[in-house]
């Protein structure tokens, strides 16, 4: 596929399934008195069936020997016009960023990297806010995962 020429979404794994899409929302845990609710967050998470997918565009894309790299601007939703960043490890929406992302592989399936850190999924979030769902993190020494990049 190479560098996407327009908007794209990213899914965890090699199949396009709704609970593998990436989203800027999560579901809070309900306790006995309160029902779970959807919350918007600046941190990128693995979405659930009811969440809407995050959409991106590649900016300053560059072909690399074993894939491609770019900066990622968020389009659509609450963070339209923001950029994807992982300065503290957790992937999040920020006002501006020069951070480059690498996608190693071919076709639609890639390992996703930020510098020397593969992007992985972690069950807890950056502020341990009690969210149910999984947050994305660029983490040194982690085993790379496979993601599907799907043009819209």
């Amino acid at each position: 596929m190479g560098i996407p020429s327009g908007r794209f979404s990213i899914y965890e794994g090699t199949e396009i399934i709704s609970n593998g899409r990436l989203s800027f929302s999560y579901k809070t845990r309900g306790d006995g008195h309160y029902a779970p609710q959807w919350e918007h967050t600046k941190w990128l998470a693995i979405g659930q069936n009811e969440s809407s997918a995050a959409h991106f565009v590649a900016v300053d894309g560059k072909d690399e020997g074993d894939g491609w790299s770019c900066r990622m601007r968020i389009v659509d939703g609450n963070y339209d016009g923001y950029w994807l960043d992982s300065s503290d490890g957790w992937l999040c929406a920020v006002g501006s960023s020069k951070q480059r992302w690498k996608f190693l592989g071919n076709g639609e399936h890639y390992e996703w990297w930020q510098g020397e850190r593969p992007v992985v999924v972690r069950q807890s979030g950056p502020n341990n806010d009690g969210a149910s769902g999984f947050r994305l993190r660029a983490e040194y020494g982690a085993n790379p995962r496979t993601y599907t990049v799907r043009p819209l």
Side-chain angles (χ1 to χ4, degrees):
M1 177 179 92
I3 303 166
S5 60
R7 298 175 347 146
F8 64 94
S9 288
I10 301 173
Y11 294 80
E12 179 194 28
T14 58
E15 295 183 31
I16 305 300
I17 55 175
S18 59
N19 63 353
R21 73 176 138 235
L22 305 188
S23 173
F24 287 101
S25 33
Y26 63 87
K27 200 173 230 180
T28 60
R29 290 189 191 122
D31 61 15
H33 304 287
Y34 299 99
Q37 304 177 45
W38 278 103
E39 299 285 341
H40 294 289
T41 178
K42 70 177 186 174
W43 291 287
L44 192 59
I46 296 295
Q48 298 184 22
N49 291 337
E50 302 90 356
S51 68
S52 59
H55 300 141
F56 306 95
V57 292
V59 177
D60 301 330
K62 185 173 18 172
D63 283 317
E64 309 260 345
D66 48 359
W68 50 277
S69 69
C70 67
R71 294 186 305 133
M72 292 174 64
R73 188 168 56 86
I74 302 162
V75 293
D76 302 328
N78 291 338
Y79 296 100
D80 186 18
Y82 282 64
W83 296 84
L84 192 63
D85 189 84
S86 69
S87 297
D88 67 350
W90 298 103
L91 276 64
C92 66
V94 297
S96 65
S97 176
K98 297 205 181 292
Q99 195 164 75
R100 293 192 70 79
W101 301 92
K102 292 189 294 187
F103 292 85
L104 305 178
N106 56 47
E108 290 187 330
H109 307 299
Y110 298 91
E111 290 179 2
W112 186 8
W113 292 75
Q114 193 290 305
E116 301 301 316
R117 303 180 298 172
V119 174
V120 296
V121 179
R122 293 291 176 241
Q123 191 164 4
S124 62
N127 59 355
N128 247 346
D129 55 12
S132 64
F134 297 87
R135 306 283 175 83
L136 277 82
R137 180 172 175 78
E139 189 173 294
Y140 287 109
N143 291 326
R145 296 179 80 129
T146 300
Y147 297 88
T148 298
V149 175
R150 176 60 60 94
L152 300 175

